[in-house]
Each structure stands twice: as C-alpha cells, then as structure tokens.
Amino acid sequence: MAPATPTRREIILVALLYFFIRLITHKSDAPTVHTVPNPLHGSHTSSHHFVNASALRPEPQYLDAHLTWGSSSVPQTRVLSHAPGWTVFDRLYIFKGVVYIVSDEPSMVPNVTHIYSKGFFIENGAEAVASRVPTDEDIRVISTKEAKTLFGTGAHLLDGVNYFINDPYQFVTHYYHWSAELWFGLWHTYASLDPNIPHYGKTELPPVRRIMFNHLDAYHWRDYASMNEWVIRSAFPSLVMEFKDDWRDRAEMGRPFVFDRVVLADRSASMLTHNFARFQRSASASFGLPGSANWFMTMRNNAIQFTGLDLNVGGGTTKTPVITYISRQEWGRRMLIKEDHEKLVEELYKLRDKYGFEVNVVAAEKMSRLEQIELAARTTIMMGVHGNGLTSLVWMKPSPRSTVMEFFFPGGFAFDYEYTTRALGMTHYGFWGNSYFTSPGLPEPKYVEGFQGNSIPLDGALVARLCLERLSLTEEVDD
C-alpha cells in the first residue's frame, strides 16, 4: 500500500519544528555575553552595561617600541618643568651613554650645569665642585639637523613616565636622604604638572613606570633599616628598576633611545641653588616650582593604604591626639641625659593620665617597618633627638595640630627635619635644653661639640607644656 501523501497541515508543522530547532542551535553557538560593571559608576551602583566577550579581546597591534620620524625633523625635546637639579622633559634622548636635548632654540634650554653633572661623589672644595661639572661626554644640546645626522630616522622608545637619577649611592642608601630628599624632590617636581591635587591625594598624573640609576648597582639603593624598598613599592607597585649595568647595555648597543617623559634628578646640580645654600637640602631647590599644598598626599596615602590603614587616620582636630616619642636611649649616639629622658617620659605620661592623650615611647630600631609607618600615620605630635627615626614624619597627616619636636645639643642645629616638616605644611619646634625655637626665628645650621654626643639636656616639663598648647589649639584661639 502506497504511503499517504502528507497533508498541508503536517508540512507546516514539520517546517515550524525545523525552524525552531535551528533557532535554538544558533543561540547556543552565540558568544557568551558578560555583565561588566561600569567603571564610571561607584562600586555600590546597580547600573551596568553589557559587553560582548569578543569585544574584551584587544585588537592585534604592533608594540609601541619605536619613535619614527623618517624624512621629517627629529621631534624636539620639551622642558615641562625645571628647577636646578630637578627637570621634567618630554622626548629627552640618550645615545651611547650621552644625554641629548634636541632643540632649535638652545637659548630657551636651561644651563646644562643646572640639569646634569658627572654624578661623582659629593666632596667639599672648589676642585671637587669643578670635577662634577658636565662636559659634552655627559650631556649636549643639539639642533634637529644635528640630531638627524646622529640618530637617523628614529629612536627606541622608553615609554610612559620615568624617573632618572644621576647620583652615586652616597646619599641614596639612607632612609632620610631617600624619602625626604630624593623621593621628596622627584615627586614634588613631577607633581608640579598637577597643581590641583586635593587633600585626599588623587591626581590625574599617570604613575611612574620606570626608575633608572646610571651610577649605582642593584645592591646599593636599600638602606640599613630596609625602609627604602617599602617606600618605593608602596608608591608605585608596578615600577621597574634599572641600574648602571642596564645603562651600560643601552650605551653599548649604539642605538638612540628617547624618553616619552622623564623626571631627571641630579643632586650636584641642585647644590648650585640659593635654597640649597640656605637649607642644605637638595629637594629644597624644587620648591621654587608651582604645586598644590596637598602635593605629598598622593605618596603618603599610597604608603598608608599599603599598610592596610584607613587613609583618614591621623587627620582632623577632634580625635584623640597621639604623642609619639622616638627614643634613641639605646642607640649609643645622640642621646638625652638619662635623667632628662626619664623626666620627659614622666611628663608625657602625666598628659596621658590627665587629658586622655595617647602616648607612645618607642625605639624605632625595635619596630617593624609596618609598625613604624602605622604609628607615624596616627601620630599628631612626633618628637625625638635629631636622627633618622624622625624621617617617618613624612607619613603624618598634616592638620592644625600636627607638630614635630626635635631635640638638639644647645647651639647645634640642622635643617633636615625642620625643612621637611614645614614643606609638608606642619609645625616644627627645635629645643635647646630649657628653650625652644620655630620658623622664622631659626638659628644658623651648626654641628657644635656635643651635637653627636650622649649628654643632650632637655626640659621635659617645657616639652609637655608645649604639647598641651598645640593640642588644645590655644594659639589659634588667641589669634
């Protein structure tokens, strides 16, 4: 018996079933669609946009490793910000170990002795100063025509923002000179490009990608307290470090390189300034540049966040004040008279018991790096004999009460921590036994006999009275 011919109804049903199966199969083969939070919204918003997974894959492209000008002129170097010893350049060139500034207006380029030196150890005397003056073997200003002859049709790109330090290890391997001079000056110079940094430290400046030392190796940048690496890793966690062997590699390749953007630091060059003559601080030269009053909050907050603390710790004038005395009594050098140390501690504890202030008497060498930074971040008043432990004042949060008190042998004085405190917008007091001084009434720097000794006198009751004045803001009320 012959099979029955399908009816019209059956044909339509089969056709519909076929198209339905095709539709389901097509959807199962489609790329997965992911829900990605919109970065422009806060983390607690429910707004999202939808991105096809294929859109998440970057388009194939060449690595941006070369600046090519071909038959055109060589791109000229731009000086974005400059103070002696501290300069921000776009398109600064290096070739065979020599730094090149390409400009057809050489009169507009700062004197090269204010930019760069031979990077020798800093020694006193006219002969030593003259030996550090750069020559054509170190840095040159050349025209675009000369650059074309020298470099050819392009240069290999050192992309992003770079720090370039033309210094020996002499002052690098020390927590104070690293954090409160070199790092201080580098960031202040770079931050001059963003004069609107707010009190919470956010900036539109891209992070530094690379730091280059052309005179020291990988074993000569850490300090004995192991604080330098904490500072650099917390500030820029992705930072790549290069040293003199890397510099030599590039020089021996015989190929030109060009910095996308670079902040160039040179201690010897900074010493030619009036500010250095006044304060003996290399970073002081950079403070002739414009900048926000909150310029260091970016670095401070990065370090504080690295410890896990809240960024607002230590701020304001309504929270319980924290007094931190960094004692050197077990250090063996630069110590208070034993009885004066004991009297100071007694007076500080009286403040604690009567007013509820938090008082910490600590020895920095017995604390971990984390503990030092955490305590400094919470501190309202930091005090101690002149010494490296006071460097952690850079992690304090400036406020009307933020104060540093430094104890000297009578007649002696150094600007190290006074200048650093004032540069951060805080108040500094120096003590000579039973008297104290503050800016602008500062003595001349002097390392008198007894400065480094272990018999430094101090009136602990006077220190306690000044603490109470600062923490009760009586001076501001009187004004």
Side-chain angles (χ1 to χ4, degrees), residues 157-192:
L157 188 64
L158 298 173
D159 62 341
V161 180
N162 302 266
Y163 278 174
F164 176 18
I165 294 104
N166 186 46
D167 289 346
Y169 67 81
Q170 182 180 10
F171 292 95
V172 171
T173 56
H174 190 282
Y175 180 31
Y176 173 80
H177 293 296
W178 174 276
S179 297
E181 281 203 286
L182 181 58
W183 206 248
F184 223 55
L186 283 166
W187 179 251
H188 188 267
T189 303
Y190 184 32
S192 69

Side-chain angles (χ1 to χ4, degrees), residues 65-84:
H66 200 261
L67 176 64
T68 303
W69 49 81
S71 59
S72 302
S73 294
V74 178
Q76 296 188 56
T77 304
R78 292 178 60 210
V79 179
L80 303 183
S81 190
H82 169 72

Side-chain angles (χ1 to χ4, degrees), residues 285-335:
S286 73
F287 281 80
L289 300 173
S292 165
N294 307 299
W295 67 277
F296 197 70
M297 291 305 292
T298 312
M299 295 295 98
R300 185 262 181 190
N301 286 355
N302 281 2
I304 301 311
Q305 199 167 37
F306 203 69
T307 69
L309 288 179
D310 184 275
L311 298 183
N312 293 318
V313 67
T317 58
T318 60
K319 300 176 182 178
T320 300
V322 178
I323 301 173
T324 298
Y325 167 33
I326 300 176
S327 170
R328 293 178 60 93
Q329 293 305 108
E330 298 181 37
W331 188 248
R333 189 168 72 107
R334 254 183 274 132
M335 303 190 303

